[in-house]
Amino acid sequence: MSKKYLLQPYKNNNLNLKNRIVMAPMTRSRAKNEGKVATDGLQGLYYAQRSSAGLIITEGSQVSKKAVGYINTPGIHTDAQVEGWKKVTQRVHDNDGKIFIQLWHVGRISHPDFHNGELPWAPSAINPNAKSYTPEGFKDTVTPKQMTIEEIKTTVNEFKKAASNAMKAGFDGVEIHSSNGYLFHQFFSKCSNTRTDAYGGSIENRARFFFEVLEAMKTVIPQGKIGVRFNPSLHGMMGITIDEETIPTFEYIIDKLNDYDLAYLHLSEPFTDVSEVPFAVTSIAKHFRPLYNGTLIINTAFDQEKGNKVITDGDADLVAFGKPYISNPDLVERFENDLALTPWDQETFYTSGTKGYTDYPKATTH
């Protein structure tokens, strides 16, 4: 197939994309204002600059105050936040782009500094022994509060409300951030979930919270506007360790997702070398592609050549690019014209203002 295969349109019942290149969700910590509101001048410009992507997935946006775990991240739970995002989606749509918002709850990866001294919530009271990025810099995580059944129900409703708010804000869809050691992943994993009620123990029970959120969200928005994201072989990061039930848990969840008509399944290849880790899967797309009938997005450390190959091999339909999109707002055009990529500056990933955010230039083609 053509080496430009990433540039081909992708269309099915739920998606109509001008190419197969997805801008991956990436925390950027630029909502430095009292209400944690995305603004036209910063987030609006940032996403508009990158709207030649087939699909943009925004940075994680907290579904409630309790969901916060990083400084200056925009939310989607207040009227002001909805109004802010409206300006962003309008900018992207004016540029003929498509944009989904990633809905986020970090669970135990948060810190009491974000919650007036109260403990963050989690499935079980187990410290992930990770770091939380607070207003005063990185701090050690603490032992979280085990969520009550009532608190789980509250959180389900917060995701439902956030999905509804996303539609009011003009998004083309939402992505449930059930990945990377955050709240859903904490429920999935035996290392972080030792509950003995309906939300712990068996694989089905540990997946229950996720499916309750999915069921609640599809009562307020079409299933075809919901995407989901997982990182099955995450290990030794964010408090998550792989065990003998890790991959079977994701196999159960992903197989069950075939009962839904979702926008897509978004998977990450391992963040670290897991070739020596017992029970890990080293090739996520290859392993899970046969299990899922819908649209599959694959992510993590792809370049143009690897992106084209994973599609032509039949292991994914779309490819998400993260860091290259930070420093190359015109990534699609650079791929199209075989232009060199601008290197990114990691020092400015989580700082404030325009530097390292909206000031990366587009390529000159002459």
Side-chain angles (χ1 to χ4, degrees):
M1 293 194 184
S2 161
K3 70 170 187 166
K4 307 283 190 190
Y5 203 67
L6 280 168
L7 303 168
Q8 302 298 313
Y10 181 77
K11 186 174 183 180
N12 62 16
N13 290 340
N14 297 325
L15 293 171
N16 185 3
L17 309 180
K18 56 195 173 187
N19 57 59
R20 293 166 182 257
I21 297 168
V22 177
M23 179 179 169
M26 291 173 285
T27 302
R28 299 307 309 277
S29 297
R30 288 315 203 275
K32 193 176 182 181
N33 53 63
E34 189 63 33
K36 302 296 176 273
V37 173
T39 63
D40 185 31
L42 265 180
Q43 286 81 10
L45 177 57
Y46 173 70
Y47 289 116
Q49 287 174 335
R50 289 153 180 81
S51 51
S52 60
L55 176 65
I56 291 171
I57 308 168
T58 73
E59 62 215 282
S61 296
Q62 56 265 10
V63 298
S64 66
K65 280 189 174 178
K66 200 68 191 178
V68 177
Y70 292 77
I71 62 164
N72 303 330
T73 54
I76 185 69
H77 56 93
T78 70
D79 290 344
Q81 289 166 349
V82 171
E83 289 306 308
W85 280 120
K86 267 185 191 173
K87 294 172 182 154
V88 177
T89 60
Q90 188 62 54
R91 290 282 291 267
V92 171
H93 291 149
D94 286 348
N95 280 5
D96 191 33
K98 296 260 170 72
I99 183 166
F100 276 41
I101 185 170
Q102 189 184 59
L103 303 181
W104 197 25
H105 194 307
V106 308
R108 66 180 190 164
I109 299 296
S110 190
H111 192 277
D113 286 7
F114 290 108
H115 307 294
N116 300 316
E118 292 183 3
L119 294 174
W121 290 356
S124 299
I126 301 170
N127 190 335
N129 296 313
K131 296 283 184 186
S132 177
Y133 187 21
T134 78
E136 295 172 10
F138 281 103
K139 291 191 179 181
D140 290 336
T141 52
V142 300
T143 300
K145 177 191 182 296
Q146 176 168 311
M147 294 168 77
T148 64
I149 298 290
E150 192 55 41
E151 287 162 350
I152 291 173
K153 302 296 183 197
T154 296
T155 307
V156 169
N157 283 325
E158 287 168 351
F159 273 92
K160 177 181 173 180
K161 183 70 168 28
S164 180
N165 282 346
M167 295 300 102
K168 287 181 193 164
F171 283 99
D172 298 294
V174 304
E175 176 176 283
I176 305 174
H177 195 355
S178 29
S179 192
N180 298 2
Y182 298 124
L183 186 62
F184 291 101
H185 205 153
Q186 291 158 31
F187 270 91
F188 300 153
S189 300
K190 290 203 297 184
C191 63
S192 46
N193 181 351
T194 55
R195 299 176 75 99
T196 55
D197 61 9
Y199 295 92
S202 68
I203 286 174
E204 291 81 1
N205 281 358
R206 284 182 277 117
R208 187 182 305 278
F209 169 57
F210 169 80
F211 282 105
E212 285 184 356
V213 167
L214 186 52
E215 287 291 331
M217 282 172 53
K218 76 186 182 85
T219 66
V220 291
I221 69 172
Q223 291 181 55
K225 291 182 179 290
I226 302 171
V228 296
R229 190 181 195 207
F230 303 109
N231 190 342
S233 277
L234 183 74
H235 179 76
M237 295 175 68
M238 312 296 276
I240 298 296
T241 346
I242 289 175
D243 60 48
E244 74 283 358
E245 285 192 8
T246 300
I247 297 303
T249 298
F250 286 103
E251 288 170 345
Y252 164 78
I253 293 167
I254 289 167
D255 180 58
K256 192 169 174 176
L257 288 176
N258 287 315
D259 297 338
Y260 297 82
D261 183 25
L262 300 182
Y264 59 77
L265 166 66
H266 185 179
L267 298 176
S268 296
E269 293 292 350
F271 283 1
T272 53
D273 180 7
V274 294
S275 55
E276 303 297 317
V277 177
F279 312 115
V281 165
T282 54
S283 300
I284 293 296
K286 210 166 270 307
H287 182 86
F288 286 99
R289 169 78 281 182
L291 300 183
Y292 187 62
N293 301 329
T295 298
L296 177 60
I297 303 177
I298 192 64
N299 187 355
T300 309
F302 280 88
D303 57 20
Q304 185 176 12
E305 186 182 352
K306 288 179 186 167
N308 279 311
K309 185 174 189 316
V310 76
I311 291 175
T312 55
D313 285 352
D315 293 331
D317 302 296
L318 308 168
V319 180
F321 295 86
K323 291 173 185 172
Y325 247 123
I326 289 177
S327 52
N328 298 277
D330 55 342
L331 188 67
V332 171
E333 291 78 8
R334 289 179 191 241
F335 282 176
E336 204 161 10
N337 296 295
D338 294 316
L339 301 174
L341 300 188
T342 301
W344 54 81
D345 175 14
Q346 196 133 351
E347 296 297 310
T348 58
F349 279 6
Y350 309 112
T351 51
S352 57
T354 59
K355 184 171 171 52
Y357 191 61
T358 54
D359 61 347
Y360 283 107
K362 295 190 173 182
T364 49
T365 52
H366 53 274

